[in-house]
Amino acid sequence: MGVLSASGARQTISRVLLTVRMSSSSSAPLLLINDPKYSFLKELGLKEENAGVFNGQWAATGPVVESVAPASNSVIAKVQNGTVADWEKAIAATQQAHKQWRTVPAPKRGEIVRQIGDKLRHNLTNLGKLVSLEMGKIQAEGIGEVQEYVDICDFATGLSRSLAGQVLPSERPGHALLEQWNPLGVVGIISAFNFPCAVYGWNNALALVCGNSCIWKPAPTTPLTAIAVTKLVESVLVENNLPGSLCSLVCGEGDVGQALVKDKRVNLVSFTGSTEVGRIVGQQVQGRFGKVLLELGGNNAIIVNDDADLDMVIPAAVFAAVGTAGQRCTTTRRLLVHEKVYDEVVERMTRAYAQFESRIGDPLEANTIIGPLHNQHGVLKYKAAIAEAIASGGKVAYGGKVLERDGNYVLPTIITGLKGDAEVVIRETFAPILYVIKISTLDEAIELNNSVSQGLSSSLFTNNIQNVFKWIGPEGSDCGIVNVNIPTSGAEIGGAFGGEKETGGGRESGSDSWKQYMRRSTCTINHSKQLPLAQGIKFE
């Protein structure tokens, strides 16, 4: 072998270094945002690395984190989180934006919300795909979630022309007595991973038409959805010469959440999440005499009476139990079945579950009907609950297994043989586990329905009109959502959404939920020349 010249050696070394760099690059994990299959991500304005703070400007100073797809545990893209210092800048800008927004007439505020709804409509499919990719729910559910935001924008637009107070009769001559509703100020929204778009939408649309500004702290594991939504909202605000800080965003961890909860400049904290964290949030906000809206856990039951139409029961229970892989707050977790139809219901439910096993997979694939759990923590909770159920005397009628593949996939599970008061039954597990409990009477079923700490959603399947009115009356369900012959999940936006007891007592979305986003003043106006006192008191 001959001796290399100096120039030849340099060329050889350069070729080696280039080969090493290319090898390192090719071995690094590919961000899904650069895969043509996920071109919708860039169409939504996302990049390889995204600022997770918006206060009229996009800038963050915190650590860079990765957003991971639950279907494969692959990295979608990166986000630079916010810090407490970023929070301080954002809340100051959000508070300032409110001062401008509160004087805009409500119907004009409604017009801005209408435009936000239209912007979402035009991006419905892409945004729905992002929800599916980042959260893990199937594409139909992802698109449906964005549609909820669109629908509440429509609702809020109409509401903007009907925010009604009252004129009341005064006992004093020459006096008018009325109620006046005014904006609260800043609404802080902390959303959960399972509905990374809709929960913000329910709050954002109502808060805006009521004259408030918003600041959003999304779940740490779904920041890309929050960034994409905020970019769409920002475009509407810019088009209308409104400050972007009217709808601010601070992605981050617990320190940012704590800053939001404890900040007196946040007039209402809307928190969606676990009962354990919600209890802390509620105490801290109450400690500073702020307003709080809590949407927490649910251990929801369907009661199957002996006169129920089982052809309706089976699809309803299956959808409510396995939809979103059991990760809805309204998921059916307990099936309370009359002893006369118990065996048939268990057999038919088991057959129905078996038909779905081949359709568990990538939530963006058209054939998929059940996606993954959101993360490995959820998988561990699933495994622990099943082990506890078996140790308590339960029998796995179907499922009970983690699927050996990339991602966080489990088999939807049916467990029989447990009493309704078993510890594992009365404790909510955020996974597709359904406990089928045998009951003898409707009264027993109602008692079991009401025996858990949460009180979100409930449903009774019956064809007896007397049962119906007992169920929805004072001796019936103690939940915030009380259904008949439909599942526990799938609430419409026109009704108030929320629950009782450890579900938190908050109400979002329709009906008169808007009142939680405003302050009420009772106004007495004396338009006479006299000064009579109430209750006929004389002070002379």
Side-chain angles (χ1 to χ4, degrees):
M1 180 180 292
V3 178
L4 285 172
S5 66
S7 62
R10 285 195 297 270
Q11 291 173 2
T12 300
I13 292 170
S14 296
R15 285 195 298 270
V16 170
L17 290 174
L18 179 60
T19 302
V20 170
R21 285 198 298 270
M22 291 179 66
S23 175
S24 299
S25 175
S26 62
S27 64
L30 174 70
L31 296 178
L32 296 186
I33 194 168
N34 293 322
D35 186 335
K37 177 180 178 182
Y38 306 105
S39 59
F40 59 86
L41 295 170
K42 291 183 178 178
E43 291 171 11
L44 288 168
L46 298 174
K47 302 177 292 186
E48 288 187 17
E49 186 173 312
N50 304 271
V53 176
F54 178 70
N55 58 16
Q57 302 293 325
W58 288 97
T61 62
V64 175
V65 299
E66 297 174 336
S67 176
V68 175
S72 62
N73 288 325
S74 300
V75 179
I76 305 169
K78 299 179 181 181
V79 173
Q80 186 171 19
N81 269 341
T83 62
V84 174
D86 293 326
W87 162 263
E88 286 294 330
K89 293 179 182 177
I91 183 60
T94 308
Q95 190 177 41
Q96 189 62 36
H98 166 252
K99 293 178 181 179
Q100 174 181 343
W101 184 241
R102 65 187 177 185
T103 60
V104 175
K108 292 186 177 180
R109 299 195 296 252
E111 167 59 18
I112 301 302
V113 172
R114 186 195 66 78
Q115 292 178 36
I116 292 173
D118 277 352
K119 187 70 70 172
L120 292 163
R121 276 188 182 91
H122 294 145
N123 292 273
L124 186 69
T125 300
N126 280 351
L127 194 53
K129 287 180 178 179
L130 171 56
V131 170
S132 297
L133 179 64
E134 191 174 39
M135 184 274 150
K137 62 180 63 177
I138 62 173
Q139 185 172 324
E141 291 179 316
I143 293 173
E145 178 176 342
V146 181
Q147 185 64 50
E148 285 192 48
Y149 195 169
V150 173
D151 291 345
I152 197 65
C153 284
D154 288 346
F155 178 90
T157 300
L159 180 66
S160 70
R161 291 184 177 273
S162 59
L163 292 167
Q166 295 188 78
V167 177
L168 304 165
S170 173
E171 67 183 61
R172 288 172 283 189
H175 285 59
L177 181 61
L178 55 91
E179 287 182 350
Q180 174 76 19
W181 291 88
N182 286 304
L184 275 177
V186 175
V187 175
I189 302 161
I190 302 177
S191 59
F193 75 83
N194 61 331
F195 279 86
C197 174
V199 167
Y200 175 71
W202 295 343
N203 286 276
N204 173 252
L206 291 188
L208 286 178
V209 297
C210 289
N212 305 296
S213 56
C214 298
I215 189 163
W216 184 12
K217 194 275 182 192
T221 53
T222 54
L224 295 175
T225 299
I227 292 168
V229 167
T230 301
K231 284 182 178 293
L232 293 176
V233 174
E234 176 197 9
S235 67
V236 172
L237 299 179
V238 169
E239 289 165 6
N240 288 274
N241 297 312
L242 290 166
S245 54
L246 190 59
C247 296
S248 296
L249 170 72
V250 185
C251 297
E253 300 293 337
D255 57 340
V256 174
Q258 275 286 285
L260 187 158
V261 168
K262 293 183 176 181
D263 200 316
K264 290 185 177 181
R265 291 168 290 185
V266 179
N267 303 86
L268 169 66
V269 175
S270 175
F271 173 83
T272 301
S274 70
T275 295
E276 291 75 20
V277 177
R279 181 178 284 109
I280 297 169
V281 169
Q283 291 170 350
Q284 291 181 340
V285 176
Q286 181 58 44
R288 63 176 176 83
F289 293 99
K291 293 186 70 174
V292 64
L293 193 165
L294 299 175
E295 295 287 358
L296 310 177
N299 194 344
N300 314 295
I302 288 177
I303 297 174
V304 183
N305 207 45
D306 57 354
D307 65 331
D309 182 344
L310 298 189
D311 289 337
M312 293 179 66
V313 167
I314 303 306
V318 171
F319 167 75
V322 308
T324 323
Q327 297 169 110
R328 289 173 176 251
C329 51
T330 53
T331 291
T332 297
R333 310 202 182 278
R334 298 176 295 148
L335 193 62
L336 312 179
V337 185
H338 196 281
E339 59 191 5
K340 291 182 179 179
V341 294
Y342 179 88
D343 290 341
E344 182 180 354
V345 168
V346 170
E347 189 271 332
R348 291 179 64 174
M349 288 290 293
T350 303
R351 276 196 285 123
Y353 270 48
Q355 293 174 5
F356 292 133
E357 187 166 344
S358 63
R359 300 180 67 185
I360 300 172
D362 185 340
L364 289 174
E365 295 295 331
N367 186 58
T368 300
I369 202 164
I370 302 171
L373 292 178
H374 185 59
N375 52 34
Q376 278 295 308
H377 181 68
V379 175
L380 293 175
K381 290 259 189 175
Y382 165 88
K383 292 169 66 176
I386 292 170
E388 182 180 350
I390 293 172
S392 302
K395 176 186 175 183
V396 176
Y398 181 83
K401 297 178 182 178
V402 177
L403 298 180
E404 298 298 328
R405 61 172 82 167
D406 290 340
N408 310 315
Y409 294 97
V410 301
L411 279 181
T413 299
I414 298 172
I415 293 178
T416 61
L418 291 174
K419 297 291 186 181
D421 60 356
E423 183 63 31
V424 71
V425 174
I426 63 175
R427 184 180 65 247
E428 179 189 27
T429 300
F430 222 58
I433 302 173
L434 179 66
Y435 302 102
V436 186
I437 311 296
K438 185 182 294 186
I439 52 99
S440 300
T441 66
L442 178 59
D443 287 341
E444 178 191 358
I446 293 174
E447 185 176 349
L448 283 175
N449 177 79
N450 297 348
S451 66
V452 296
S453 299
Q454 304 90 348
L456 179 53
S457 188
S458 57
S459 186
L460 168 66
F461 278 78
T462 183
N463 285 314
N464 184 312
I465 194 67
Q466 292 175 316
N467 292 340
V468 169
F469 281 92
K470 181 172 188 176
W471 172 242
I472 67 173
E475 296 180 303
S477 173
D478 64 358
C479 296
I481 298 171
V482 183
N483 294 334
V484 178
N485 294 333
I486 64 168
T488 55
S489 56
E492 298 181 30
I493 61 97
F497 181 90
E500 301 300 322
K501 301 187 295 187
E502 290 190 5
T503 300
R507 292 297 186 274
E508 294 172 327
S509 197
S511 186
D512 64 349
S513 299
W514 62 269
K515 292 180 179 179
Q516 295 188 89
Y517 301 85
M518 304 194 82
R519 58 179 175 84
R520 172 167 49 185
S521 301
T522 300
C523 307
T524 305
I525 302 168
N526 183 356
H527 54 87
S528 73
K529 296 294 185 181
Q530 306 299 317
L531 193 64
L533 301 178
Q535 292 85 47
I537 295 174
K538 303 290 185 181
F539 191 72
E540 298 174 345

